[in-house]
Amino acid sequence: MIRENQKRYRFDWIIIIVYLLLVGFGYLNIMSASHTGEITNYFDMNQSYGKQLVFIGLSIVLIVLILSFEAKFYERFSSIIYIVAILSLLGLFIFGKDINGARSWYGIGSMTIQPSEFAKFATALAVAKHISDIQTNLKTIKDQLKAVALIFLPALLILLQNDAGSTLVYGAFFFVFYREGLQQIYVLIGFSLIFLAVLALKFGITITVLSTAIIIFGLYFLKRKKRTSLLQPIAILLIATVFAYGVKLFYNHGLKPHQQNRISLWLRLEKDPAKLELMKKREAYNLIQSEEAISSGGFAGKGFMQGIRTTGKFVPEQDTDYIFSTVGEEWGFLGSSFVVILFIILIVRILYLSEQQKSQFSRVYGYGVASILFVHFTINIGMVMGLIPTVGIPLPFFSYGGSGLWSFTILLFIFIKLDSNKINEW
């Protein structure tokens, strides 16, 4: 009887240990980035590190609660959890609190809760429920549209609250769709559109259309045996041209000035030295300070709480979106590599366990967890290092904030619970 219970509740300790290492190391960096002098009280609620310690304590309560439910609970009530998440996003339009131009928080006394963070695990559950339904076939247009609708609705509501960063994360679910049978043509189209958009912004419409025409007709004439009507490449070229014009139009008239400037800096579009200098003092200030902090850390870093730019508060939002710059300055290449390796281990381990699941619901949810973590991790670190445009999303388990820590904890430990039940599924 004891052995049966041990098997029934056997949790994956590799994931749990990596989680604890990320949360613990993240706390040390939050402490370094937010302290204003000698630390005498670790529970000082006027400081970020004091609040984060409370958030970590409440996360442990959440973990116990999540693991106490039966694994079937999450599949059975996934639709209800998703509906509650959507209602919480809708409520922001009436009761939401504006912070930094985004209406994404509920104010509860001195605390704030960000529903968009919790909507991620709710959407992952809903997508897993839909795909694992015996009547669902992702090779049909009808079921593809239903799956896209599940991620489009929360993404749209979040976008309307002026939180573009969180909206981008929902693109992670297309990795899940691809694993579960979505045709490769959709992936090819997606990457082609991204490439086309970058090309249109960087080099203009004329060069984009000419380059696209060369590629399309080149591929057409190389297909000697299966060559189709010439109308097909012409139609593709027309669609590509319209899309390129649409991207330029959206960039010039749909984006806000600060968003345009961030993309302009990333693609090196601005040529006016005076305007470029002004942009560096505004939109690029965080990035420049972050890059200098990381580069100053060298191989082994300057030491815990010894970073000049970190302790001097040179980098704004350094305990949240730019927390990785603290790692780079104080822990150097070694510390930065340690964080990256931990995330790689976590994501690869989740994918490995997902493939071992007997239940399709558990497998799909696992891929959803891995995809969300991968997109967050890639965008955040890429942003901090200037590899992609500045987008305001946190580093999972690492950045300061209760909503982020709790939502990622729920996201991860639901999968741990589902995985612990796979022996019973067999």
Side-chain angles (χ1 to χ4, degrees), residues 63-328:
I63 291 170
V64 174
L65 186 63
I66 292 165
L67 298 180
S68 67
F69 286 102
E70 289 293 326
K72 284 292 181 183
F73 169 86
Y74 299 105
E75 182 176 2
R76 192 176 299 121
F77 291 95
S78 57
S79 298
I80 295 175
I81 294 171
Y82 178 76
I83 291 171
V84 171
I86 296 299
L87 291 175
S88 70
L89 291 173
L90 287 169
L92 288 169
F93 293 102
I94 303 173
F95 306 107
K97 180 178 180 180
D98 284 298
I99 299 178
N100 296 329
R103 196 177 184 84
S104 303
W105 288 266
Y106 286 112
I108 305 174
S110 60
M111 305 287 288
T112 56
I113 295 291
Q114 190 174 7
S116 61
E117 294 292 340
F118 297 95
K120 294 167 190 173
F121 84 82
T123 305
L125 286 171
V127 167
K129 178 67 173 177
H130 170 65
I131 293 178
S132 62
D133 192 301
I134 194 171
Q135 298 178 340
T136 300
N137 181 4
L138 275 185
K139 295 186 183 297
T140 65
I141 298 295
K142 181 185 70 173
D143 289 331
Q144 289 171 4
L145 290 175
K146 287 181 180 179
V148 171
L150 286 172
I151 64 174
F152 179 77
L153 180 56
L156 177 62
L157 293 175
I158 293 168
L159 182 63
L160 292 175
Q161 293 156 13
N162 199 26
D163 188 0
S166 295
T167 303
L168 288 175
V169 175
Y170 284 83
F173 287 101
F174 284 95
F175 292 115
V176 181
F177 298 159
Y178 178 70
R179 165 60 183 84
E180 295 302 317
L182 190 69
Q183 295 91 328
Q184 290 184 359
I185 186 64
Y186 290 106
V187 179
L188 179 62
I189 291 172
F191 282 109
S192 297
L193 292 177
I194 293 172
F195 176 75
L196 199 62
V198 172
L199 201 65
L201 292 175
K202 180 66 177 177
F203 299 105
I205 300 297
T206 303
I207 293 179
T208 300
V209 172
L210 287 174
S211 302
T212 306
I214 291 171
I215 294 171
I216 291 173
F217 287 106
L219 292 173
Y220 173 77
F221 287 110
L222 285 173
K223 292 172 64 176
R224 297 177 181 177
K225 295 182 179 180
K226 297 182 179 180
R227 190 177 295 172
T228 56
S229 170
L230 192 60
L231 291 176
Q232 187 180 43
I234 293 174
I236 295 173
L237 180 60
L238 287 174
I239 293 171
T241 303
V242 171
F243 178 77
Y245 271 107
V247 168
K248 288 288 288 186
L249 191 66
F250 179 72
Y251 174 78
N252 291 324
H253 304 287
L255 295 179
K256 295 180 179 180
H258 73 277
Q259 293 171 328
Q260 292 177 349
N261 289 339
R262 287 175 179 176
I263 294 175
S264 177
L265 285 165
W266 177 54
L267 294 177
R268 309 292 193 270
L269 302 180
E270 186 56 57
K271 305 301 181 185
D272 184 354
K275 188 174 180 181
L276 189 59
E277 192 63 31
L278 184 62
M279 289 165 63
K280 287 182 178 180
K281 293 179 180 179
R282 296 185 309 188
E283 286 82 11
Y285 177 79
N286 287 21
L287 174 59
I288 292 171
Q289 294 299 327
S290 172
E291 289 176 336
E292 290 181 357
I294 293 173
S295 62
S296 68
F299 183 74
K302 296 180 178 178
F304 180 51
M305 291 192 179
Q306 300 300 313
I308 296 173
R309 294 187 177 277
T310 297
T311 56
K313 314 303 177 191
F314 283 83
V315 185
E317 309 295 337
Q318 195 167 7
D319 57 354
T320 53
D321 297 344
Y322 283 86
I323 189 69
F324 192 72
S325 64
T326 303
V327 180

Side-chain angles (χ1 to χ4, degrees), residues 30 52 319-321 323 380 393-401 405:
I30 290 169
Q52 189 71 7
D319 57 354
T320 53
D321 297 344
I323 189 69
N380 180 274
I393 62 173
L395 188 59
F397 313 116
F398 220 85
S399 295
Y400 165 76
L405 178 60

